[in-house]
Each structure stands twice: as C-alpha cells, then as structure tokens.
Amino acid sequence: MMSATADDPALYNSLVADLLGVLAYGELSAFERLSSSARYSPTLHDRAVLGRMAVVEFQHYELVRARLEHMGLDTEAAMLPFQPSVDHFHERTRPADWYEALMKAYVIDTVSADFYRAVGRYVDAGTRELIGQVRSTGESTAVLQERLKAALADDPRLASRLALWARRLLGEVLTHAQRVSLEHAFLAGLSGLDDAGAKEFVSGLTAELAANHARRMAGLGLAG
Amino acid sequence: MMSATADDPALYNSLVADLLGVLAYGELSAFERLSSSARYSPTLHDRAVLGRMAVVEFQHYELVRARLEHMGLDTEAAMLPFQPSVDHFHERTRPADWYEALMKAYVIDTVSADFYRAVGRYVDAGTRELIGQVRSTGESTAVLQERLKAALADDPRLASRLALWARRLLGEVLTHAQRVSLEHAFLAGLSGLDDAGAKEFVSGLTAELAANHARRMAGLGLAG
C-alpha cells in the first residue's frame, strides 16, 4: 500500500529519512542505555547477556546508517531532529535498578516493534525489509521475557513494583511515539492521510499497542 | 619459551584461566565504560565512533569466553576473582568528560596491549594468538589518537588537563597491573620465576610500559 507521496520522490525520501533517523537514534540510544545498565546486573552472566543485547542494538544502528548512506543521506543530520525527544524520554524513564532496566528494554523492544510494523505498511519494500530486520527482536525479547519471569518467580514483591513501572513506561512510550509521529508529520505524509485522518490512525494504533502490551504483561503474570 | 609449569598441565591451565579471566573481565568492563561515555560525546558522529569501539571490546570478550569454554572452564568463575580490583580501578578513574574518557580509553588500550604482549611470551601458542587478536587494537588506537590530536589542536587549554589526567591514569594502570600480576601470582607461575624473580620482571615491565607511554604522550604533544 503506497501513498500519494509515491508521486513525489523527494518528499517521499525526506519522510523515509525522518523515519530512519528516529529509528537510528533510537537504536544508538538503546545501545548506550542497555550497556550502561549492564553494569548493575546481579551476576556476571546477566551482565554479558545485557551486553550482548546492547551490541545487537548497535548492529541495528549500523544497518540503518548503511541504508541512509545508500540513499545519499547523512545519518547525523537524519538523527538530530529526534535527539531532544528521545533523550527526554530516557531522562524521564531512568531505571532505578537492574530489574527496571530489564523491564524498560522489554517494553521498548516490544512496543516499538509493534509501532514500526504498523508504520512499515506505508513504506517501500526495501525500507520495510530494513525495518523488519532491525525490529526482529525475537531472540532478545525471548531472553528478556524469560529473565523477567525468573526474577518475578524469585521475588514476588517485585511484581507490584514492576507492574507499576511497566504502566509508566507504556505511558511514556506511547506519548513519545504520538509526539514523534504527529510533530514530524511523517506518518501523515507517508500514509497520505490528512491531519484528521493521521490523528485517527495514531489513536487506533495507540489502542492496539496498549492492548498488545497488556497481553504481554498478563503473560508475565503482572496486572497490565 | 615455556615455563616449568609445562610439566604440570593442571597448574598451567589454572594460571592461563586466571590470565584469561582478568582479560575477559577487563574487556567486559571496557565495553560498559566506553559505551556509557559515548553518551557524553560532543557530536553524534563521535558517539557512534565510541560505540563502535565499545562493540569491538565486547567481541573480544566473546573471543576470550569462547576460549575459556573450549578449555572446559566457566567464564564467570574465571572473571570473579578479578572483579574487585578492576572495578576499583574504574571507580578511581572516572572521566570527568568526554575528552578524559577518550584519553582513558587510549591509555588503557595501549598500556594493556604492551602488558599482554609481554605476558604472551610465557604462554602456549594458542593462548598467545588469542591475546594477540584481543589486544590488536591498532585500528581503535589510531582512531583515538587522531581524535585526541584533533581535540588538542582545537583547544590548547585541554593539553595541561589531559597531560595531568594521563599521568594519573598511567599510575593507576601500573598499580593495578602490578597488583593483579603479583597477587594472583600467575605471572610468577607462568614464567617459572621465583617470587624475587617475578618482582624483578614486574619492575622491568613497569619501566618499559611507562617509557612507551611517555613516548606516546610526546607523540600527542603532551608532557609525559
């Protein structure tokens, strides 16, 4: 499903550059945050596990960068407009400990995978494939889920704290995703929807992301 | 040049396990510290450069881990004895900004490359080759050196601060290396030297590391 912008390659490219810019900066930030959190892991084994996940995020960053360069675009320039909002998001969601870092990684991974999958409907096949590669967090997600389950089984008092934390994270992630999508207007541009249509799309998407999140939290035995 | 421990494979393996344990933990820590520092880079380009270096450190960690596992040894168990001293070293050398982080990476990379090269004389060919791979920091070192030179050219006031910082780092690195070598006795064990001989070897090595460091600092235009 291609949009009206297919007729205007320059506009289309600039919208895709925005999309890849926020994706690249998201990956670079995720790499830094995960590897910083790794240090606070309860065991050396967990440190290495988190470190390995961080490295995967960096490799995804490199994939997006290669794509931007292939399009003749500068990665730094593409990322810059999104730096303040992504940084702000991370400032507002500093994990207090390793378990919160784990939950943060899990929530961001899964919700953003859903988000990019939805947005991927509106881009060309090459870009969609790239998004698929970068967001195919299957393995990392499974590791995070397993580790969270184990932690919750070991210490049931964690459950209420992590449930609360996950709700806060969901709120922050969704607010961030809405702001980025609407402010930078790439969602409207790519989908060919007018302002009202784009807002409606974002509302529908938000509801879908929240419902999927609630299902995953229930899977962990937590109240969504 | 093999040592007396060649006659005692169990002892030899345990000494190599110590050597690889401190190497592995050093790489894992370097990965986390570098990627945490990356966030404070002055530009997005620099962030990615530091991130890439951090990823290389993690890949080195994975190489050492694979070797330990190949030897039938547990990586966590091999690293644990060295965790307090490596952590302590990093606590004592927290960079105040990105330039100090850059200098720290440069000093650690180069001095430890010299250190492991010297120790490599006393191990079997396979272990020596692994150490060579892990410590072949040629590319990263060149990037760090170039970036430091550029920073010093941009802001000459940095020179006196970084010269002081590099001297402190050298002192801490050497103290750490001596402590690790002597306390854990693997240097004595591997070299087949007695206590006095090992101390003498460590003194000679220390002088050599310091002289090489001074030469590199002069290369940056800094007073060693």
Side-chain angles (χ1 to χ4, degrees):
Chain A
M1 177 157 67
M2 291 293 292
S3 78
T5 56
D7 303 331
D8 185 345
L11 175 61
Y12 180 76
N13 271 352
S14 100
L15 294 169
V16 168
D18 271 355
L19 184 63
L20 297 184
V22 68
L23 185 54
Y25 191 67
E27 295 290 343
L28 187 59
S29 303
F31 158 72
E32 291 164 2
R33 305 285 167 160
L34 263 180
S35 45
S36 307
S37 300
R39 203 153 89 222
Y40 305 106
S41 306
T43 68
L44 284 174
H45 175 79
D46 285 323
R47 272 171 77 165
V49 167
L50 231 55
R52 206 162 290 126
M53 274 182 217
V55 168
V56 171
E57 304 281 3
F58 194 82
Q59 286 160 345
H60 289 166
Y61 161 78
E62 297 275 42
L63 279 176
V64 182
R65 189 175 66 88
R67 175 88 187 170
L68 280 162
E69 282 177 8
H70 178 76
M71 291 169 71
L73 296 165
D74 181 70
T75 309
E76 276 78 55
M79 293 194 293
L80 266 179
F82 302 99
Q83 192 175 0
S85 54
V86 174
D87 286 357
H88 185 68
F89 166 76
H90 284 296
E91 292 303 319
R92 290 183 57 84
T93 55
R94 282 179 198 260
D97 66 7
W98 190 77
Y99 298 101
E100 291 193 5
L102 216 59
M103 180 58 91
K104 180 173 167 178
Y106 183 62
V107 171
I108 292 181
D109 258 24
T110 52
V111 176
S112 61
D114 284 355
F115 174 78
Y116 286 108
R117 196 177 304 117
V119 172
R121 286 174 226 154
Y122 300 109
V123 294
D124 60 283
T127 306
R128 186 161 49 242
E129 195 192 324
L130 174 74
I131 291 176
Q133 283 179 302
V134 168
R135 298 313 321 170
S136 73
T137 51
E139 204 187 325
S140 288
T141 306
V143 171
L144 286 166
Q145 195 179 30
E146 200 184 308
R147 197 63 193 77
L148 280 166
K149 272 191 182 167
L152 290 164
D154 281 354
D155 179 3
R157 284 168 308 170
L158 258 183
S160 61
R161 179 156 70 90
L162 287 189
L164 192 67
W165 171 241
R167 279 197 292 277
R168 229 193 91 201
L169 285 169
L170 178 73
E172 295 287 349
V173 171
L174 293 180
T175 305
H176 173 64
Q178 286 180 343
R179 188 175 299 148
V180 164
S181 310
L182 296 174
E183 269 174 22
H184 294 274
F186 58 75
L187 202 59
L190 289 172
S191 61
L193 297 167
D194 60 14
D195 269 11
K199 271 186 192 135
E200 201 176 315
F201 175 84
V202 170
S203 302
L205 180 56
T206 303
E208 187 188 325
L209 299 181
N212 291 347
H213 171 81
R215 205 160 33 239
R216 283 187 296 266
M217 291 302 108
L220 290 175
L222 298 179
Chain B
M1 176 159 65
M2 291 293 292
S3 78
T5 55
D7 303 329
D8 185 344
L11 174 60
Y12 179 76
N13 272 352
S14 100
L15 294 168
V16 169
D18 271 354
L19 184 63
L20 297 184
V22 68
L23 185 54
Y25 191 68
E27 295 290 344
L28 187 60
S29 303
F31 158 73
E32 292 165 1
R33 304 286 167 159
L34 264 180
S35 45
S36 307
S37 300
R39 204 153 89 223
Y40 304 107
S41 305
T43 68
L44 284 174
H45 175 78
D46 284 323
R47 271 171 76 165
V49 167
L50 232 56
R52 207 164 288 126
M53 276 182 215
V55 167
V56 171
E57 305 281 4
F58 194 82
Q59 287 160 344
H60 289 167
Y61 161 77
E62 297 274 44
L63 280 175
V64 182
R65 190 176 64 88
R67 176 89 188 166
L68 281 161
E69 283 177 8
H70 178 75
M71 292 169 70
L73 296 165
D74 181 69
T75 309
E76 275 78 54
M79 293 195 291
L80 266 179
F82 302 98
Q83 191 174 1
S85 55
V86 174
D87 286 356
H88 185 67
F89 166 77
H90 284 295
E91 292 302 319
R92 291 182 57 84
T93 55
R94 282 177 198 260
D97 65 7
W98 189 77
Y99 299 101
E100 292 193 4
L102 215 58
M103 181 58 92
K104 181 174 168 178
Y106 184 62
V107 172
I108 292 181
D109 259 23
T110 53
V111 176
S112 61
D114 284 354
F115 174 78
Y116 286 108
R117 197 177 303 116
V119 173
R121 286 175 228 153
Y122 300 108
V123 294
D124 59 286
T127 305
R128 186 161 49 244
E129 195 192 323
L130 174 75
I131 290 176
Q133 284 179 301
V134 167
R135 298 313 320 169
S136 73
T137 51
E139 204 189 324
S140 287
T141 306
V143 171
L144 286 166
Q145 195 179 28
E146 200 185 307
R147 197 61 194 76
L148 280 166
K149 273 192 180 167
L152 290 165
D154 282 353
D155 179 3
R157 285 169 307 170
L158 257 183
S160 61
R161 179 157 69 90
L162 287 189
L164 192 69
W165 172 241
R167 279 197 293 278
R168 229 193 90 201
L169 285 168
L170 179 73
E172 296 287 350
V173 171
L174 293 180
T175 305
H176 172 65
Q178 287 179 343
R179 187 173 301 148
V180 165
S181 310
L182 296 174
E183 270 177 20
H184 293 274
F186 59 75
L187 203 58
L190 289 171
S191 62
L193 296 167
D194 60 13
D195 268 11
K199 271 185 193 134
E200 200 177 314
F201 176 84
V202 169
S203 301
L205 180 56
T206 303
E208 188 189 323
L209 299 181
N212 291 348
H213 171 81
R215 207 161 31 242
R216 282 187 296 265
M217 290 301 108
L220 290 174
L222 299 179

